Amino acid sequence: MRQTFVIVFALLVGVTLAQGPGSGPFVLPQPVSLTWGSQVVPISDASTFIIQSNVNSVTLNVATKRYSTLFFPFGNGTSTSGAPTQSLSIQVQSSNEDLALGVDESYKIAVDSASSLTITANTIYGAMRGLETFSQLLTYNPKSNSYSIPFAPISISDSPRFQWRGFMIDTARHYEPVNFILHIIDALGYNKFNVLHWHMVDAESFPVVSTTYPELSAKGAFNPLAIYTHDDIEEVVAYAKTYGIRVIPEFDIPGHAYGWGFGYPQLLAQCPGYAYNINNIALNIAEPFTYQVITGLFTEMAALFPDQYFHTGGDEVIFGCWLQDPSIVSWMNKMGFDSVHAETYFENQLTYILDGLNRTKIVWNDPFQNGVTLAPGTVVQIWNSADITQQVVDAGFKAIASYAWYFDKQQPMGVSTGEFENTWEVFYTSDPASGVTSNVDSVIGGEATMWSEQVDQMSWDTRVFPRALAVAERLWSAAYINDTNSALPRLEQQSCNIARRGVNSGPLEPDFCLIQTYLGMSRPNRLRPIIKLDRDTIKSILS
C-alpha cells in the first residue's frame, strides 16, 4: 500500500521521487530532480576505481580520499584481472575554498555507463554534496562480492532549500573528546548538514582553554583532560570544512554564566537567593572586568573560528539575580536602567565587541522577547515557540528555527509518538518557515539541538540517529517533500548506510541492514574520525 501511494503521489505532482524497493534509487535528502532507468552499471573492482577532479583543492582532496573508502564499505570486491580503470569525474567551476553562509552547494550527477560517471558543481562544496549522493547510489552484492550502480542511466540535479542547516552540540554539560566531535562531523556531513553549532561553555563547566585568561579552563573544566586547546579547535574547524560544514562557537552570556566564575569569581553576580540552581547565576554586568574578559576571550576565539557568525546565547537570564546584587542595583540606579535596559546595555556591548572583530552576532530569542533593542543584522535563533518567527522576521531580523528539533525531548512539540524513535515523524513534519506568511526569505534555516545533561559519547549516536535524518531532509529538500510514508524507506536505507560507516544508527521498522560484522569484518571505530588530518593539512585548509 505504501509503495502504491508514493508512486501515485509522484505522478500527481509531476516529479520523480526515490521510491520503495525496486522502483528507483534511494537518496537522502531527497534531491530536487532525480530520474533513473533500468540498467545496471558494474563496478568490477574498487582497486581500479578512481576519483578525478579538474581542480587542485586541499579541502576537496581530503573529501575525495574519504569517499574513495566510503564507496566500498565491504572491501575491494571481486578483482578482475586486467580490468580497466573506472573513474568518477568531478568537474568544478571554481577551486575557491572560501566557506561562508550562502556558498553554492548545488551539483549534478550523471551515471550513463561504466565509463561515464560524472559530478559537476560550481564549487568544491557542491562537489562534496555530490560525492555523498553518489555514495548512496552504489550497492553491494555479498553473494558475488561485487559493487554496482542499478537504475542507470541516472540523472540528478540538486541544491538545498535552506542555507543554514545546523546541528548544535553541548560540550559543557558533558565533555566530548575531540575525536568524537570529529565523528559527529562525519555523521553530519553524511547527511548534508552544513553548520556545527558548538555550545562550548555553560554553568556546569568551562572547558575552552584561553591563553589570555587561563584560569577559565584551569579551574572551570570538569577535569584537566576535559579541555579544548587552540590546536583542538583548529582541528575541528578544519575537519568540518572538508565536509563543507561551518563551525559556529557559542559562549552563552549573560545567563548560564556560573562556569565563568570558577576561574574568576568577580565575574559573577552575587545573588545567594538564587544559588540553589547554578543556571540562575548571571554575569556581573556592572563590573568593568567582565567586559575586559569578554573582549579578550572573544578576540582570541575569533582568531580560531573564521566564520562570520558568533553566538552569544542570551537565553534564560534571571533578572532577579541582578536585582539581588547591591553593586548591580546601584549601577542600574546610576544609569537609570530597569532590567530590560540593563540587558540592552549588555547586548550593545557584545555587539560593539563583535563589530570590532568583524563578526555578526547570533542570539537566542529571549532578548528579542524581553523587549531588548537588538542591533540591525543580529540573527535570532528561535528555541521555544514557532509563533515568534513571524515577529522576528517582521522586525527585520534573520531567523533560525530550532523549537521543533530538541533531541533531548521525549515529546518534541508536545506530541507523543509512542515509541521514542518515532519522534522522527514530528521532526520530519516540522518546517522552519511554518506559519510565516511574510518575509519568508528571512528564515535562513534551522538547527537541531542535542543538549547533553544526560548524553555523552557513549550515548550520543543512538540519541541522535536515525532521527536526525528527518531534520536533514527537511532542511535540504523541497517543502512539499513531507510525507512520512514515502520518507521512511529513504531514512531506513540511509540509517543503514551510516551504520556501515561507524555511526550507531538503528532501525525505524523491521528490516535487515548488512554491516561488516556479518561478513567477519570490523566496522569503523566510532570514537575516531574516518580520516585523521595532520597539522600541515590543518594549517593548509585554514590558510
Side-chain angles (χ1 to χ4, degrees), residues 243-260:
Y243 280 104
I245 294 175
R246 300 156 45 230
V247 183
I248 310 299
E250 181 188 352
F251 292 85
D252 189 4
I253 46 178
H256 292 277
Y258 193 77
W260 296 64

Side-chain angles (χ1 to χ4, degrees), residues 253-310:
I253 46 178
H256 292 277
Y258 193 77
W260 296 64
F262 291 119
Y264 300 94
Q266 63 269 47
L267 293 175
L268 300 184
Q270 301 303 307
C271 50
Y274 289 87
Y276 61 89
N277 183 343
I278 60 174
N279 288 288
N280 292 335
I281 308 302
L283 289 177
N284 184 345
I285 59 171
E287 171 57 57
F289 182 60
T290 298
Y291 302 99
Q292 177 184 325
V293 172
I294 293 171
T295 301
L297 178 69
F298 283 10
T299 300
E300 190 177 340
M301 292 299 112
L304 300 173
F305 292 96
D307 199 81
Q308 178 68 37
Y309 292 88
F310 198 105

Side-chain angles (χ1 to χ4, degrees), residues 180-318:
F180 190 73
I181 294 178
L182 303 183
H183 164 83
I184 290 173
I185 291 169
D186 283 331
L188 297 180
Y190 300 153
N191 298 292
K192 300 189 176 76
F193 286 96
N194 69 351
V195 174
L196 175 68
H197 171 175
W198 191 353
H199 186 90
M200 305 188 80
V201 304
D202 212 288
E204 289 80 3
S205 74
F206 199 111
V208 180
V209 173
S210 167
T211 56
T212 311
Y213 294 100
E215 294 297 289
L216 286 170
S217 62
K219 295 182 179 179
F222 282 127
N223 184 282
L225 298 177
I227 58 173
Y228 302 108
T229 66
H230 285 199
D231 284 354
D232 293 335
I233 292 171
E234 287 182 342
E235 183 177 14
V236 168
V237 172
Y239 194 78
K241 191 176 180 181
T242 68
Y243 280 104
I245 294 175
R246 300 156 45 230
V247 183
I248 310 299
E250 181 188 352
F251 292 85
D252 189 4
I253 46 178
H256 292 277
Y258 193 77
W260 296 64
F262 291 119
Y264 300 94
Q266 63 269 47
L267 293 175
L268 300 184
Q270 301 303 307
C271 50
Y274 289 87
Y276 61 89
N277 183 343
I278 60 174
N279 288 288
N280 292 335
I281 308 302
L283 289 177
N284 184 345
I285 59 171
E287 171 57 57
F289 182 60
T290 298
Y291 302 99
Q292 177 184 325
V293 172
I294 293 171
T295 301
L297 178 69
F298 283 10
T299 300
E300 190 177 340
M301 292 299 112
L304 300 173
F305 292 96
D307 199 81
Q308 178 68 37
Y309 292 88
F310 198 105
H311 207 307
T312 60
D315 64 311
E316 299 179 320
V317 180
I318 306 301

